[in-house]
Amino acid sequence: MRAAAEDSNCRISESRFARLLRPLRGSLSRRLLALTVLFIMLAEVLIFVPSVANFRLNWLEQRLAAAQIASLALEARPDNMVSPALREELLKNAQVYAVALHRDDSRRLVLSEDMPPTVDTSFDLRDAMAMTLVMDAFETVFAGDGRIILVTGKPRFGAGESIEIVFDETPLRHAMLQYGKNIFLLSLVISIITASLIYVVLHFVLVRPMRRITENMVAFRDNPEDARLVIAPSVRADEIGVAERELSRMQKDIRATLSQKAHLASLGVAVSKINHDLRNILASAQLISDRIGAVDDPTVQHLAPRLFASIDRAIDLCAKTLRFGRAEEAAPERKPVSLRAFADEVVEAAWPEDDDVTWVNEVPPDLVVDADPDHLFRILLNLARNAAQALAEGGRGGEVRLAASRAGGHVHIDMSDSGPGLPSKAREHLFEPFSGGVRTDGTGLGLAIAAELVRVHGGHIELVSTGSAGTTFRICIPDSDAASRECSEAESLAARE
């Protein structure tokens, strides 16, 4: 039992330790920490080089000052002579082998050992540039021990033109190495502390929010239908907050698109299931209508052709299922269609007995459209029904007006109503199925189907205007032999003007 408990505690400790190290194992966190340390060390190096050169300069100036003070003991003597013991003590305290002064255009050896060592190299500090001092410092560090140097500088308090000293460079080199070691250790400590603080701040400000975004994106990719996986954006006003809000908006749009496609798929399955039974019902209705057509009554004889045409279209539509459920509409079977009479037939199918809606047909009698009659019927029928429903919901009635004109190889058709206009929601998703519906029970399929049917003709449909004065849609259908099979926006604008 004790061993099992110890093993469990060990696993818990390892788990906690792994959680603490997980940010360091992440590529972004690891690179952030490494780059922070690197850049701080680089900054320290840029500071270290001139500081070492300055340390060497100060050390040499102090040695020159000590040698100048030692030379003052000789100037205090009338004959400028001291005993050999005092001379050795002065040279030892100044840590030099010889001292020479330049004064009054003469050079005089003030202090010197009996046999001073040979000078290996010399340095002049009087007019040395910063880069020269840096190069001399590197030369001192890499020269090795035991080198004898001659250093020339300016004496303090105007005691002459210059002062020269000869000494062993080894103590200077050791002092510089120790100074560099101390600076390096101090820089390393400062780098680690600064990098840690920067890392902690950036981890909470940048890395952790980015990890939250990436983890949410991965989880949403695996199951986009789950509404719980839509990221909840924070209130941050910086780029991270913008990214969170845009990601949330994009995820909601994706879920809406998937829901719409699922709705379309379900609709297609439902239609395919009822298609067979509905065709049988319509076939029975067709047999009954044939018998009605045999009745010798003027009213029946007037209405029977319309009934036959409506049932025939319904049977044909069911036989082809729901074209909108397919990937695309079939290619149109074009033929010349006299638009004026054809539009009257569409209106009779749209609202045959509605006295509150006035139909105004302004299409020229000789205007012919090169289009698929079935497609054109469905296009105009959807627009006419939408217009009639808009007038009915307004409760005031009104009129639906159809106008058309030819512009070169294209025909422009305008369908207008005097209704209350389209709401903003419908305008935002005008030709999208299940999104652009105006009525609460509407699906928005009417305009979507009309737009797709116009598109397979090489044309386009657009909302020209909407408001309290009414709504106008424009359809552009090119002829099959037109030079440009696509209606351009410029042609549509020219026709509108």
Side-chain angles (χ1 to χ4, degrees), residues 429-443:
H429 308 278
L430 195 56
F431 300 107
E432 298 178 13
F434 305 110
S435 299
V438 178
R439 307 186 314 277
T440 56
D441 58 344
T443 62

Side-chain angles (χ1 to χ4, degrees), residues 313-443:
R313 288 192 179 95
I315 293 175
D316 181 65
L317 193 61
C318 288
K320 298 175 182 177
T321 319
L322 185 61
R323 288 189 181 272
F324 189 81
R326 297 182 181 180
E328 59 181 7
E329 286 286 350
E333 299 178 2
R334 291 172 175 263
K335 61 179 64 176
V337 178
S338 179
L339 184 57
R340 184 179 180 89
F342 190 80
D344 289 335
E345 183 181 351
V346 171
V347 170
E348 290 176 356
W351 63 89
E353 299 179 358
D354 196 339
D355 296 333
D356 293 334
V357 179
T358 303
W359 168 246
V360 180
N361 191 342
E362 296 180 346
V363 178
D366 59 344
L367 183 61
V368 176
V369 181
D370 184 14
D372 185 315
D374 180 58
H375 287 188
L376 186 59
F377 185 90
R378 292 167 62 189
I379 294 169
L380 297 179
L381 181 63
N382 281 313
L383 291 177
R385 281 180 175 171
N386 285 349
Q389 290 167 356
L391 295 174
E393 288 188 357
R396 59 183 182 180
E399 67 176 22
V400 177
R401 186 179 301 271
L402 184 70
S405 63
R406 175 169 289 278
H410 305 79
V411 173
H412 299 275
I413 306 172
D414 289 349
M415 179 81 74
S416 306
D417 65 69
S418 58
L422 297 176
S424 58
K425 178 183 177 182
R427 292 196 298 269
E428 292 174 359
H429 308 278
L430 195 56
F431 300 107
E432 298 178 13
F434 305 110
S435 299
V438 178
R439 307 186 314 277
T440 56
D441 58 344
T443 62

Side-chain angles (χ1 to χ4, degrees), residues 136-173:
D136 292 343
F138 277 106
E139 182 180 351
T140 300
V141 172
F142 295 105
D145 294 341
R147 189 171 70 160
I148 305 301
I149 62 174
L150 169 66
V151 177
T152 303
K154 291 182 179 180
R156 303 176 66 185
F157 309 117
E161 288 79 15
S162 65
I163 182 172
E164 297 177 350
I165 60 175
V166 177
F167 64 95
D168 188 352
E169 194 183 34
T170 301
L172 171 61
R173 180 173 179 272

Side-chain angles (χ1 to χ4, degrees), residues 201-221:
V201 172
L202 293 181
H203 173 74
F204 286 99
V205 174
L206 179 63
V207 176
R208 193 168 71 169
M210 286 300 300
R211 183 181 297 117
R212 172 174 174 261
I213 292 176
T214 53
E215 291 176 352
N216 178 268
M217 293 171 64
V218 173
F220 185 81
R221 179 201 62 187

